[in-house]
Amino acid sequence: MKILVLGAGKMGSFFLDLLSFDHETAVFEKNPERLRFTYNTQRFTKLEEIRDFAPELVINAVTVKYTIEAFKEVIPFLPKDAILSDIASVKTGLKEFYNDCKHRYVSTHPMFGPTFANLSQLHHENAIIISEGDSKGRSFFKDLYSRLGLNIYEYTFEEHDKTVAYSLSIPFVSTFVFAAVMKHQDAPGTTFKRHMNIAKGVLSEDDFLLQEVLFNPYTSGQVAQIRKELAELLSIIDNKDAIGMKAFLTKIRENLKNDILSN
């Protein structure tokens, strides 16, 4: 298959490395410096080159802020039967865009990133394939993600956004609160250092991505749940309620136990 990847960032380069030995691949990247370390693939910096390549599948791997903009820019240079695909972690506006663009599409979300994941060992990681897309496109990514050993789930756009609100907004908000109240430690403990590393990783993400995750319409309810639990914990602490603390710890350990069993 002839596959065009938009963007030669970390995820774009990951997909190129993954696909270039089994498919005819090309990458479109406006910043030529990002193309210095790409290999075994055609490298494009001009839109006219895309027309000559005539891709069958386009994988949009640009930063989430420019996902739809990048599609709009390249569509005039694509064959009419080309399948559009995105790997965006935030799907805001994408369903409406796909419904209007007159191209077949497939939307997926590899739920790992270059910040924390070991891209060579992904069998503990997950991927979501949006069920509303083109069947051929879904089959392509299902096969690809299966070969990587990923756990695959099929959700609608709405179900995806609800999942992201839970799986991303809770750790993001918890990290923000930790970073907001932290202060320099001359001799930090192991737990503190681990939280610090997580905070640095999360806050190295693109600001627009962090914003869009938190602006997900389902995020507010998750944050309200955090506020509720914090209020309960603060009451226990203020009252030095040993029985209440025991019950709280039992509850959260049970949550962790149930999560481990489900995995």
Side-chain angles (χ1 to χ4, degrees):
M1 182 183 287
K2 297 179 75 171
I3 301 173
L4 173 70
V5 174
L6 304 181
K10 292 180 179 178
M11 289 303 288
S13 298
F14 169 73
F15 274 91
L16 286 168
D17 290 345
L18 191 63
L19 297 168
S20 62
F21 289 96
D22 298 316
H23 302 274
E24 185 179 352
T25 61
V27 56
F28 175 69
E29 170 60 62
K30 292 183 178 180
N31 182 357
E33 291 187 2
R34 282 191 163 188
L35 298 174
R36 288 182 298 175
F37 303 109
T38 56
Y39 66 98
N40 201 39
T41 192
Q42 297 185 57
R43 297 177 289 182
F44 301 154
T45 57
K46 298 179 181 178
L47 290 166
E48 291 74 14
E49 296 172 295
I50 295 175
R51 178 183 286 122
D52 295 335
F53 181 64
E56 301 167 73
L57 173 68
V58 178
I59 300 177
N60 191 334
V62 304
T63 183
V64 66
K65 183 177 182 179
Y66 300 109
T67 300
I68 293 177
E69 181 180 323
F71 273 141
K72 290 180 176 179
E73 189 173 32
V74 303
I75 280 177
F77 301 88
L78 299 176
K80 291 183 179 180
D81 60 350
I83 300 174
L84 305 182
S85 72
D86 74 90
I87 57 170
S89 54
V90 177
K91 304 296 185 186
T92 305
L94 277 168
K95 181 178 181 179
E96 295 76 14
F97 168 77
Y98 284 134
N99 287 340
D100 293 337
C101 76
K102 299 180 181 179
H103 273 269
R104 293 182 295 162
Y105 73 88
V106 56
S107 184
T108 76
H109 180 185
M111 296 189 70
F112 57 87
T115 302
F116 295 118
N118 182 344
L119 297 181
S120 64
Q121 295 182 349
L122 296 172
H123 57 282
H124 292 305
E125 305 292 347
N126 303 316
I128 292 174
I129 298 176
I130 302 299
S131 59
E132 295 158 86
D134 175 77
S135 59
K136 181 180 178 181
R138 294 201 314 271
S139 295
F140 174 85
F141 279 98
K142 188 172 184 178
D143 177 68
L144 178 64
Y145 292 154
S146 294
R147 286 192 283 117
L148 289 173
L150 294 169
N151 302 297
I152 301 170
Y153 302 88
E154 289 202 27
Y155 294 153
T156 64
F157 278 108
E158 182 179 9
E159 289 168 338
H160 169 271
D161 288 348
K162 289 180 178 179
T163 298
V164 167
Y166 172 75
S167 64
L168 291 184
S169 66
I170 288 179
F172 279 14
V173 168
S174 301
T175 298
F176 292 169
V177 172
F178 168 78
V181 301
M182 65 167 290
K183 59 184 179 180
H184 175 72
Q185 297 286 312
D186 289 326
T190 301
T191 302
F192 184 93
K193 288 189 288 186
R194 287 180 177 175
H195 278 278
M196 172 70 80
N197 289 335
I198 291 173
K200 288 179 178 178
V202 169
L203 291 170
S204 70
E205 297 284 1
D206 177 75
D207 284 0
F208 186 82
L209 170 62
L210 298 175
Q211 170 187 296
E212 288 302 292
V213 167
L214 295 184
F215 287 178
N216 180 323
Y218 301 102
T219 293
S220 180
Q222 299 294 340
V223 177
Q225 185 66 23
I226 293 175
R227 183 172 57 192
K228 174 178 175 293
E229 295 296 331
L230 280 174
E232 179 183 350
L233 182 58
L234 183 59
S235 175
I236 292 170
I237 293 170
D238 287 343
N239 293 303
K240 295 182 172 55
D241 180 0
I243 295 175
M245 178 61 75
K246 177 66 174 178
F248 190 85
L249 293 174
T250 299
K251 177 180 71 175
I252 60 178
R253 285 180 176 132
E254 193 65 26
N255 285 347
L256 292 176
K257 178 182 176 183
N258 290 337
D259 184 68
I260 291 171
L261 290 174
S262 67
N263 291 324

